[in-house]
Amino acid sequence: MSAPSVRPVSEREARQVAEAAREQDWKKPSFAKELFLGRFRLDLIHPHPSPAVEDVRRGEEFLSKLRDFCETRIDSARIEREAQIPDETIDGLKELGALGMKIDTKYGGLGLTQVYYNKALALVGSASPAIGALLSAHQSIGVPQPLKLFGTQEQRDTFLPRCARTDISAFLLTEPDVGSDPARLATLAVPDGDDYILDGVKLWTTNGVVADLLVVMARVPRSEGHKGGITAFVVEAASEGVTVENRNAFMGLRGLENGVTRFHQVRVPAAHRIGPEGAGLKIALTTLNTGRLSLPAMCVGAGKWCLKIAREWSTVREQWGRPIARHEAVGSKIAFIAATTFALEAVVDLSSQMADEDRNDIRIEAALAKLYGSEMGWLMADELVQIRGGRGFETAASLAARGERAVPAEQILRDLRINRIFEGSSEIMHLLIAREAVDAHLSVAGDLIDPEKTLGDKAKAGARAGGFYARWLPKLVTGPGQLPRTYAEFHPPGHRDLSGHLRFAERSSRKLARSTFYAMSRWQGRLETKQGFLGRIVDIGAELFAISAACVRAEALRAEGDHGTEAYQLADAFCRQSRIRVEELFGRLWTNTDELDRKVVSSVMSGAYEWLERGVVDPSGEGPWIADATPGPSKAENVHRPVH
């Protein structure tokens, strides 16, 4: 079998492609960006922004209909058993308008805000994570969002009404040997008159098996009259030469319609190109700025369900003369689930409302929400399985067969695991956020640490950096977090004191900025290789963002008279748990095994520890590690099954 058809790419070229796709400018303020710079701008998120009355009315009206649909027309056990969402369920979602939640009403959509779109995903995702994934992939990264942001009026008029009611869409970027390094993209779109000819193979195409419309990322070769580069296209899934060669199966999300799609000499009109040539990655990343919020929204739904099951089960189940919730070892897990669910909902709601208001740039906030939601959602599900004990490991079908309540705890653990990989793995999210966190430093001092810059460039950069740091560094020494009465409004009479947590966040923000500056001074251009350090920097920022969001949400609920006392208690519990994690992460910035780990990895890769692998057998099957993706006609049966 021939090797995968992937163009060789140097590390520098890969970095240049990723850098070119970034949004370079900051035209609006960002709470998270300021947080990483040591500037705790609470005024950007407090008072908590509120949705418009009409948005609330329309949103709640749809949620009521969706809840009824989830309770009466979604059979989660059947989806898990048959590993497929029934056609009648998808048809029902279309009739309900769920395909068009985020599409403007003038195109036949519901025109929901980001806040209510996310609430809807949390609700439907609790009924069936596979359906949540279908709706999210369709609207958050599929055809509607790129066209909303970058499409022509003609494209919107043509495709958005279809997406709102009848047609399912998918997003195709990943290839068998191309994941988070898009510079290696092998799928080609060759200009041919007023069309492009598409050739290539796409992997893990969520919704691809049932999709009617596809957003496809392909490389246009540079030629006369064509700038070239990675470019986005809307492709009709029924086009000649499009073949869904396999419906992939996974450990979780068994109803996910995810496949392998081959394009062979597929003719795509130039009118279906989204944006100019070479803008594909920028379109994808910009689409994900708010699109990433859908995944943590479903993690919020999972947290709420975990809390419900943990409460009900821990009240009924007794050991040693009392309910297991009264035993500290179990109670601490329940407290973690409750406090974390509250904070995660605060993060998602705050980020979503800021997205709706469009006053702030939320690219970092959305990325932090995705990273934090993925990791904490998985931990909450893991704790639920532990609380349920043997029943947590047993399937819902098996529990029902022997006469007990069919609680799918093990299923939610399997379903949530992909979130740490979906739409940017946690490792990639760490690097992406870290790049944004150090953007201010690189903009003034980047040339100083670039080995390819001239001495003249470095001299100019030195002057710029000197001025920036002369103004910036002194502000990191002291701040409001050192004054005992700062943020006093977060300690109202009769409530827990949250003001101390915000003072901690302010002090930690400055400490975080000092740590980042010290790391840049110490490692300079090698900082980008210190992924362990950068990951901890980002994790600290995520915790500080969550602390801030939790406190602001608690105060908003108190001001509205909506469970204020309980919200303050949950926020206090979360902040105390989070502060312990922050202190540990700060310690691990400088006291860790990163250097030793690198040496161990080198030894592993050289085969020095192969003796450690003896004594087992490998049950893996035969075949290449990466499937051949050489362009050409398909030799497989087309398993595409549009739902109409």
Side-chain angles (χ1 to χ4, degrees):
M1 182 176 285
S2 60
S5 176
V6 177
R7 56 194 297 272
V9 174
S10 68
E11 182 179 354
R12 182 171 182 80
E13 183 182 353
R15 190 182 300 114
Q16 287 173 338
V17 169
E19 188 66 19
R22 281 185 60 249
E23 284 188 78
Q24 305 291 332
D25 301 325
W26 291 87
K27 298 176 182 176
K28 299 172 185 174
S30 164
F31 174 80
K33 178 176 181 286
E34 296 293 297
L35 185 74
F36 281 107
L37 284 171
R39 300 190 284 245
F40 189 67
R41 292 284 309 280
L42 190 64
D43 61 294
L44 293 177
I45 61 173
H46 173 67
H48 195 293
S50 299
V53 174
E54 177 58 20
D55 290 338
V56 172
R57 186 196 65 76
R58 286 191 299 114
E60 292 294 340
E61 185 178 285
F62 176 72
L63 286 183
S64 178
K65 295 177 183 176
L66 183 62
R67 174 175 288 279
D68 180 68
F69 183 90
C70 290
E71 292 175 342
T72 60
R73 298 183 61 184
I74 293 179
D75 187 342
S76 180
R78 178 185 173 187
I79 294 171
E80 179 71 3
R81 183 173 63 252
E82 298 179 357
Q84 183 172 294
I85 302 170
D87 287 1
E88 60 266 28
T89 303
I90 296 177
D91 287 337
L93 290 166
K94 292 180 179 181
E95 293 167 8
L96 196 63
L99 292 188
M101 287 187 285
K102 283 198 72 181
I103 297 175
D104 196 288
T105 53
K106 66 183 177 183
Y107 301 112
L110 299 181
L112 296 187
T113 62
Q114 186 73 36
V115 168
Y116 275 96
Y117 171 65
N118 285 342
K119 289 181 183 295
L121 288 178
L123 175 60
V124 76
S126 66
S128 168
I131 293 179
L134 181 145
L135 294 175
S136 171
H138 166 68
Q139 290 170 90
S140 298
I141 58 176
V143 170
Q145 192 68 6
L147 289 192
K148 176 183 176 181
L149 297 174
F150 299 98
T152 65
Q153 191 58 53
E154 182 181 359
Q155 289 172 338
R156 294 181 188 130
D157 291 339
T158 300
F159 296 117
L160 291 185
R162 292 170 57 182
C163 292
R165 291 289 173 180
T166 59
D167 289 15
I168 296 171
S169 68
F171 174 79
L172 281 63
L173 171 63
T174 304
E175 298 176 0
D177 199 26
V178 179
S180 298
D181 181 7
R184 293 156 51 85
L185 202 75
T187 298
L188 289 179
V190 179
D192 182 37
D194 292 333
D195 300 330
Y196 291 84
I197 305 300
L198 204 60
D199 277 286
V201 179
K202 294 295 185 179
L203 177 62
W204 296 324
T205 59
T206 297
N207 287 0
V209 179
V210 296
D212 304 285
L213 292 169
L214 315 171
V215 175
V216 181
M217 295 292 166
R219 182 182 303 281
V220 177
R222 185 188 296 271
S223 62
E224 185 178 350
H226 291 275
K227 175 186 176 183
I230 298 173
T231 306
F233 299 89
V234 178
V235 180
E236 297 276 1
S239 299
E240 184 178 353
V242 179
T243 306
V244 179
E245 296 190 327
N246 191 63
R247 182 185 187 274
N248 303 323
F250 304 97
M251 67 181 284
L253 293 182
R254 289 181 176 169
L256 196 69
E257 297 292 351
N258 180 296
V260 177
T261 303
R262 178 180 291 271
F263 300 91
H264 175 60
Q265 297 289 291
V266 178
R267 189 167 289 275
V268 182
H272 290 189
R273 188 188 69 218
I274 308 174
E277 290 182 355
L281 283 185
K282 186 179 289 288
I283 289 171
L285 290 178
T286 305
T287 298
L288 281 172
N289 279 346
T290 53
R292 283 198 174 98
L293 290 173
S294 62
L295 194 150
M298 287 185 280
C299 291
V300 170
K304 289 173 178 285
W305 183 80
C306 288
L307 180 61
K308 178 181 184 292
I309 298 301
R311 173 180 57 81
E312 293 176 351
W313 168 246
S314 300
T315 301
V316 172
R317 177 63 165 169
E318 291 191 0
Q319 292 282 274
W320 296 296
R322 51 177 151 163
I324 58 171
R326 302 300 178 188
H327 293 285
E328 193 172 278
V330 174
S332 63
K333 299 180 187 301
I334 297 172
F336 167 75
I337 294 173
T340 304
T341 298
F342 176 84
L344 186 52
E345 185 170 38
V347 165
V348 172
D349 276 5
L350 178 62
S351 300
S352 301
Q353 188 59 47
M354 288 195 293
D356 286 331
E357 292 189 347
D358 202 26
R359 286 189 297 110
N360 293 352
D361 187 323
I362 65 154
R363 75 182 84 159
I364 301 182
E365 286 85 346
L368 288 172
K370 190 276 178 187
L371 171 67
Y372 198 69
S374 300
E375 295 294 330
M376 302 308 271
W378 164 257
L379 289 176
M380 288 190 287
D382 188 54
E383 293 289 42
L384 175 65
V385 168
Q386 192 69 19
I387 291 169
R388 286 277 288 161
R391 290 172 174 84
F393 194 65
E394 190 173 2
T395 67
S398 177
L399 288 164
R402 59 182 187 79
E404 290 194 0
R405 183 173 297 184
V407 178
E410 59 83 30
Q411 181 189 334
I412 198 170
L413 190 66
R414 289 187 287 103
D415 287 343
L416 284 175
R417 184 58 184 83
I418 187 58
N419 292 341
R420 298 170 65 197
I421 302 169
F422 256 172
E423 296 181 22
S425 69
S426 290
E427 291 73 23
I428 290 299
M429 295 307 297
H430 277 127
L431 298 181
L432 184 153
I433 298 167
R435 172 62 186 86
E436 300 296 350
V438 301
D439 183 54
H441 299 285
L442 292 180
S443 65
V444 298
D447 288 356
L448 279 173
I449 58 178
D450 188 336
E452 297 194 8
K453 293 298 181 181
T454 66
L455 289 177
D457 290 333
K458 290 180 182 291
K460 293 176 183 176
R464 284 197 309 271
F468 172 79
Y469 290 119
R471 296 187 302 272
W472 178 67
L473 285 171
K475 296 178 182 178
L476 301 182
V477 179
T478 61
Q482 291 167 286
L483 303 175
R485 296 191 181 278
T486 310
Y487 313 119
E489 68 268 33
F490 287 87
H491 189 193
H495 292 73
R496 309 284 294 189
D497 182 6
L498 301 184
S499 65
H501 300 312
L502 291 173
R503 290 194 293 273
F504 170 83
E506 193 278 335
R507 295 193 304 272
S508 298
S509 172
R510 287 185 283 111
K511 183 177 180 181
L512 186 63
R514 293 195 301 269
S515 300
T516 305
F517 174 73
Y518 175 66
M520 286 195 66
S521 304
R522 176 179 176 180
W523 291 312
Q524 298 185 29
R526 291 184 296 127
L527 178 60
E528 68 178 27
T529 69
K530 306 295 182 179
Q531 295 179 359
F533 176 90
L534 292 172
R536 294 176 199 113
I537 286 287
V538 170
D539 285 339
I540 293 169
E543 294 285 0
L544 297 181
F545 179 38
I547 286 174
S548 307
C551 292
V552 168
R553 178 177 177 81
E555 173 55 19
L557 291 174
R558 184 200 67 80
E560 295 166 5
D562 189 8
H563 303 292
T565 301
E566 297 86 353
Y568 258 70
Q569 185 178 48
L570 283 169
D572 183 43
F574 172 78
C575 290
R576 291 177 185 275
Q577 295 169 10
S578 178
R579 288 173 66 165
I580 293 171
R581 294 191 290 267
V582 169
E583 295 290 7
E584 179 185 354
L585 285 164
F586 269 125
R588 289 176 57 210
L589 284 179
W590 312 111
T591 305
N592 52 63
T593 61
D594 291 352
E595 195 60 43
L596 176 59
D597 293 346
R598 278 190 283 273
K599 294 177 180 177
V600 170
V601 169
S602 294
S603 296
V604 169
M605 300 308 291
S606 69
Y609 301 151
E610 280 193 47
W611 53 269
L612 191 58
E613 301 166 12
R614 296 172 193 160
V616 298
V617 294
D618 182 359
S620 305
E622 298 295 323
W625 285 101
I626 299 169
D628 180 28
T630 303
S634 179
K635 300 175 183 177
E637 176 189 354
N638 191 357
V639 297
H640 181 229
R641 58 170 201 92
V643 182
H644 290 296

